[in-house]
Amino acid sequence: MLSCCTRNCLKYRLNSFKNILSSNELKLITSCRAVTNNINDKKIEKNVDVKKVEKNDVYKVIRTLSIHVWPKNEPKLKARVVAAVGFLFGAKLLNVQVPFLFKYAIDSLNDSPLVINDVETAVVSTVTAMILGYGAARTGSCLFNELRNAVFAQVTQNAIRKVSRETFMHLHKLDMSYHLSRQTGMLSKAIDRGTSGIAYFLHALVFNIFPTIFEVSLVSCILTYSCGLPFTFTALSCIGIYAAFTFSVTEWRTKFRIQMNNADNECGIRAMDSLINYETVKYFNNESFETEQYDKLLQKYEEASIKTATSLAFLNFGQNLIFSTTLTAVMLMASQSIIQGTMTIGDLVMINGLLYQLTIPLNFLGTVYRDLRQSIIDMQSIFTLLDIKSKVIESPKAVPLLFLKGDQKDITFENICFQYPNGPVIFKDLSFTIKYGKKTAIVGGSGSGKSTVVRLLYRFFDPNDGKILIGHRDIKDYTIESLRKSIGVVPQDQVLFNDTILYNVQYGRVSATAEEVFEAAKMADIHDSVMRMPKGYQTPVGERGLMLSGGEKQRVAIARAVLKTSPILIYDEATSSLDSITEKNILESIKLITKDRTSLFIAHRLSTITDADEILVIGDKKIAESGTHRELLADSSSFYSYLWHKQNDFSSF
């Protein structure tokens, strides 16, 4: 038996699938998980490599997100994209008008006389109109930008929702080997950063990259036409040097950001693991130790964060230095032209305004490039998850598993060979049949593979060789959804959702009515206990059901399986946490529940299966003995007889 603390430590990693593992199998899977983690870590490192992301994955990201930005059969979203782009270009055109209107206003004021007469009044009116136009252009540009954001917000959130939903569904469809190796803290942070990356990537792609190219081209043409090629050449040189400096420094800074992300992941994993296993921490009085370990990880994050911040300061100063130098050079050129009489003071103001307007997209260029690279890295967390393929694959020709009235479908294991990845062989030529409508029990030593039988039947894993048949048909020929819908399981170690008792019982069949929930709870002998609670069925159970006793959790799990009304029922030591009286009542109820159903009992306490129609004893990786309780006891040399007498000897103490 595993100690309480060891079991608690394993709970976080194995999550709900751990419910049917025996102790030696837990050790086996833990060792296998270490190898899988190592492989996954290498895969993650490979996927976050910046150059690889840039060369191989950026097109995939754009292609995937473009499907959500321009979705098929959703004309309303497409109309929003078109409107947002229209507002964007409208804002840019209005923005370019601002320096011109300011130039004309200044030139008009500079040329007008000090004494006002009828002619000068017209000049003043023109200046007033120019200034009003200046204000209107600035306001209109801002309005169009905000309308753009408001219109495009639904497109962005729709894309995030679809990708998040797809990721969530994909994670649930992955086989058990993935869920045994995953780290929940890192997974949660990866998804959070990935969805944030999607929002930023869409805005950067649609509202920053292409509009910046458009605005730079527009300003270059205006400078060439109004001021001449030298001004245009100087401005474009500034943009080129600015971009080259930004890209090179950002390339250098990216490694610090990756280090910060990795440290952040480690902090999340450690904090989640420690808080979920807080009972174990308190049992061993290790609060200070856990805090010290967490602080070490925080220190790594702090160091990486400082490097990120200081390198950002260097980047910002370099960008400002390049632009300020260029602006000074252009202003000197303009002032010389004014002295020579080829330009006006208004032209000086216009050039200054145009260049300052370029600082906005140029600043975005640095920020966008930096954050765009990071958002691609962050999004790889989601796309890496979506690229993981389940080892349990549903056949395209799979059909639903149906139990029609009068069907008598036996379950047959034919020559099953199975071993966990990188682990020892669990089964070798395992064969047996579970008869329809009969109570079949499986017993064996710790680590013999009793619970692995359930996993194989549920298709958490597929056997390396051999077949599992239901009704003379391989379970691989059935859809996974219909197969699992046909099997109800009461696990040995129950994990409940952090919700109410009603929610956890009703989870067995979410469409069930309250009356059906109450009836299932009565059959599990928990209804009266629940009704004595102050909030009844609305009583919260706490995280993993820790607010309930072991017996109460077990009865909730039994009620949940009963409510599922599956034609196949599996009980993995379903009454191990119950007192003798409650156990007797539930076993009587189970007899009624399993009538006309195929039932399989994974037994550790042999007293619960004495009435089984057939008992299968696993030994030496296959079925070593079989028969009824009386038949197996009649052979004093049988392993079952040995287990029976050992348990009775212990119960006498």
Side-chain angles (χ1 to χ4, degrees):
M1 295 292 292
L2 288 170
S3 67
C4 176
C5 298
T6 304
R7 289 168 62 105
N8 280 336
C9 291
L10 287 167
K11 280 182 181 178
Y12 166 60
R13 299 295 185 215
L14 301 183
N15 204 348
S16 60
F17 294 114
K18 63 160 173 28
N19 298 337
I20 51 177
L21 289 174
S22 66
S23 58
N24 281 352
E25 286 171 324
L26 287 173
K27 296 176 182 177
L28 170 64
I29 298 303
T30 302
S31 63
C32 293
R33 186 172 67 240
V35 177
T36 310
N37 273 341
N38 188 37
I39 296 172
N40 286 344
D41 289 342
K42 291 180 180 178
K43 184 175 182 181
I44 291 171
E45 291 173 3
K46 182 180 179 181
N47 280 323
V48 299
D49 181 76
V50 178
K51 293 182 179 179
K52 189 173 182 64
V53 166
E54 186 173 356
K55 291 180 179 179
N56 299 334
D57 296 329
V58 67
Y59 298 113
K60 177 182 176 181
V61 169
I62 294 174
R63 186 171 60 251
T64 302
L65 292 182
S66 64
I67 297 173
H68 299 293
V69 174
W70 196 257
K72 294 181 179 179
N73 304 321
E74 293 192 44
K76 291 184 178 180
L77 283 179
K78 291 181 178 180
R80 283 182 173 271
V81 174
V82 172
V85 173
F87 286 133
L88 170 67
F89 283 103
K92 293 298 181 185
L93 290 173
L94 284 175
N95 207 32
V96 170
Q97 301 304 314
V98 172
F100 278 95
L101 292 169
F102 203 23
K103 160 190 159 53
Y104 295 140
I106 289 177
D107 283 342
S108 298
L109 287 171
N110 188 55
D111 295 338
S112 64
L114 297 176
V115 180
I116 298 177
N117 52 38
D118 292 340
V119 176
E120 284 76 23
T121 300
V123 172
V124 171
S125 299
T126 302
V127 172
T128 303
M130 291 296 177
I131 293 175
L132 290 175
Y134 168 85
R138 288 180 61 88
T139 303
S141 176
C142 179
L143 175 63
F144 279 10
N145 279 325
E146 296 306 321
L147 286 173
R148 173 204 71 186
N149 292 333
V151 170
F152 198 72
Q154 184 172 341
V155 180
T156 302
Q157 294 305 317
N158 181 72
I160 292 174
R161 179 176 63 84
K162 287 182 177 179
V163 173
S164 298
R165 182 182 183 278
E166 183 181 353
T167 304
F168 185 78
M169 176 62 75
H170 181 72
L171 287 173
H172 274 293
K173 287 185 176 181
L174 291 176
D175 61 276
M176 192 175 182
S177 60
Y178 169 78
H179 288 280
L180 289 173
S181 63
R182 68 183 172 90
Q183 293 177 310
T184 307
M186 185 178 69
L187 186 64
S188 176
K189 283 187 173 290
I191 294 175
D192 287 343
R193 283 202 304 264
T195 52
S196 299
I198 291 172
Y200 186 84
F201 188 86
L202 288 178
H203 274 82
L205 192 67
V206 178
F207 296 146
N208 295 123
I209 296 176
F210 297 120
T212 298
I213 296 173
F214 172 74
E215 188 165 5
V216 168
S217 302
L218 194 60
V219 170
S220 299
C221 293
I222 293 172
L223 284 174
T224 302
Y225 178 78
S226 302
C227 306
L229 285 174
F231 288 89
T232 304
F233 177 77
T234 304
L236 291 178
S237 298
C238 169
I239 295 172
I241 296 171
Y242 188 101
F245 175 78
T246 300
F247 294 162
S248 60
V249 174
T250 302
E251 187 82 22
W252 168 65
R253 290 187 66 244
T254 302
K255 61 182 179 181
F256 301 135
R257 179 72 183 194
I258 294 175
Q259 290 172 5
M260 193 171 72
N261 278 357
N262 292 337
D264 193 25
N265 284 338
E266 291 178 5
C267 287
I269 293 167
R270 184 72 190 190
M272 184 77 70
D273 201 12
S274 182
L275 291 174
I276 285 181
N277 293 288
Y278 72 93
E279 290 174 284
T280 306
V281 175
K282 291 184 179 298
Y283 286 148
F284 291 93
N285 197 31
N286 276 337
E287 291 89 346
S288 297
F289 172 76
E290 288 294 321
T291 303
E292 289 173 5
Q293 297 302 309
Y294 184 57
D295 186 59
K296 289 178 182 178
L297 297 176
L298 287 176
Q299 187 176 4
K300 290 175 61 178
Y301 178 80
E302 180 185 11
E303 292 171 356
S305 182
I306 290 172
K307 290 179 181 178
T308 302
T310 52
S311 60
L312 176 61
F314 172 71
L315 174 63
N316 289 338
F317 175 75
Q319 290 172 335
N320 186 270
L321 178 64
I322 293 170
F323 179 77
S324 297
T325 303
T326 303
L327 182 62
T328 302
V330 170
M331 297 301 287
L332 286 172
M333 293 168 61
S335 64
Q336 290 297 320
S337 297
I338 293 173
I339 293 173
Q340 295 171 4
T342 58
M343 294 181 68
T344 66
I345 295 176
D347 289 323
L348 177 67
V349 173
M350 180 194 71
I351 294 171
N352 184 278
L354 285 173
L355 290 179
Y356 259 113
Q357 282 185 184
L358 272 184
T359 62
I360 298 176
L362 282 177
N363 282 333
F364 274 126
L365 176 66
T367 303
V368 166
Y369 178 74
R370 180 178 63 248
D371 292 343
L372 193 61
R373 291 285 299 274
Q374 183 55 41
S375 67
I376 293 174
I377 293 171
D378 290 342
M379 280 187 290
Q380 288 309 300
S381 59
I382 286 185
F383 290 112
T384 297
L385 291 174
L386 293 175
D387 285 339
I388 297 174
K389 303 300 182 184
S390 176
K391 296 177 183 177
V392 177
I393 303 173
E394 182 176 281
S395 170
K397 298 180 181 179
V399 298
L401 172 57
L402 301 176
F403 281 82
L404 303 176
K405 189 174 181 180
D407 278 353
Q408 296 189 6
K409 292 184 170 67
D410 295 339
I411 301 173
T412 304
F413 281 61
E414 283 188 0
N415 309 115
I416 296 297
C417 296
F418 177 74
Q419 69 177 123
Y420 289 107
N422 302 305
V425 175
I426 303 298
F427 296 133
K428 188 174 183 181
D429 198 27
L430 178 76
S431 298
F432 62 89
T433 298
I434 302 172
K435 293 291 186 181
Y436 168 82
K438 302 294 183 181
K439 177 179 179 179
T440 303
I442 295 180
V443 300
S446 182
S448 60
K450 301 183 296 296
S451 296
T452 302
V453 170
V454 181
R455 287 209 190 94
L456 293 174
L457 180 58
Y458 230 80
R459 284 205 74 190
F460 286 158
F461 295 97
D462 281 335
N464 303 117
D465 197 11
K467 295 181 182 178
I468 302 175
L469 310 175
I470 296 181
H472 306 292
R473 189 165 191 168
D474 196 324
I475 62 173
K476 294 181 180 179
D477 295 334
Y478 296 120
T479 60
I480 294 176
E481 181 182 2
S482 66
L483 171 68
R484 294 175 181 171
K485 188 176 181 180
S486 301
I487 304 173
V489 178
V490 181
Q492 179 186 7
D493 193 5
Q494 303 79 26
V495 176
L496 303 182
F497 291 97
N498 189 4
D499 211 298
T500 63
I501 293 177
L502 176 66
Y503 178 89
N504 278 281
V505 176
Q506 196 175 33
Y507 198 80
R509 181 159 49 90
V510 293
S511 60
T513 63
E515 289 73 20
E516 290 175 316
V517 171
F518 299 156
E519 186 61 31
K522 290 176 182 178
M523 299 188 76
D525 200 26
I526 195 176
H527 177 75
D528 293 337
S529 298
V530 173
M531 296 307 294
R532 286 193 293 269
M533 297 177 184
K535 294 185 179 181
Y537 279 88
Q538 296 303 318
T539 301
V541 303
E543 189 171 12
R544 296 181 293 126
L546 292 178
M547 294 178 68
L548 301 181
S549 68
E552 288 171 335
K553 285 202 300 182
Q554 202 155 47
R555 283 179 283 169
V556 168
I558 293 172
R560 184 164 58 187
V562 169
L563 188 65
K564 190 177 180 182
T565 63
S566 302
I568 301 171
L569 289 174
I570 299 174
Y571 295 86
D572 189 0
E573 195 58 29
T575 59
S576 60
S577 299
L578 304 179
D579 59 85
S580 300
I581 296 175
T582 303
E583 180 184 49
K584 181 179 179 181
N585 293 338
I586 290 179
L587 288 175
E588 290 297 324
S589 299
I590 287 175
K591 288 182 180 180
L592 298 175
I593 298 167
T594 56
K595 186 178 181 181
D596 298 326
R597 296 186 189 182
T598 304
S599 59
L600 176 64
F601 286 72
I602 306 298
H604 304 283
R605 223 157 55 181
L606 302 184
S607 59
T608 62
I609 58 165
T610 55
D611 62 337
D613 296 295
E614 185 176 24
I615 299 172
L616 306 172
V617 183
I618 297 180
D620 195 24
K621 303 177 179 61
K622 58 185 178 182
I623 300 299
E625 302 165 5
S626 64
T628 63
H629 175 70
R630 290 182 178 274
E631 290 171 349
L632 292 172
L633 281 184
D635 183 1
S636 59
S637 63
S638 68
F639 183 63
Y640 180 86
S641 178
Y642 170 78
L643 290 175
W644 175 263
H645 291 298
K646 279 293 183 182
Q647 287 191 8
N648 285 335
D649 289 343
F650 278 120
S651 63
S652 64
F653 286 100

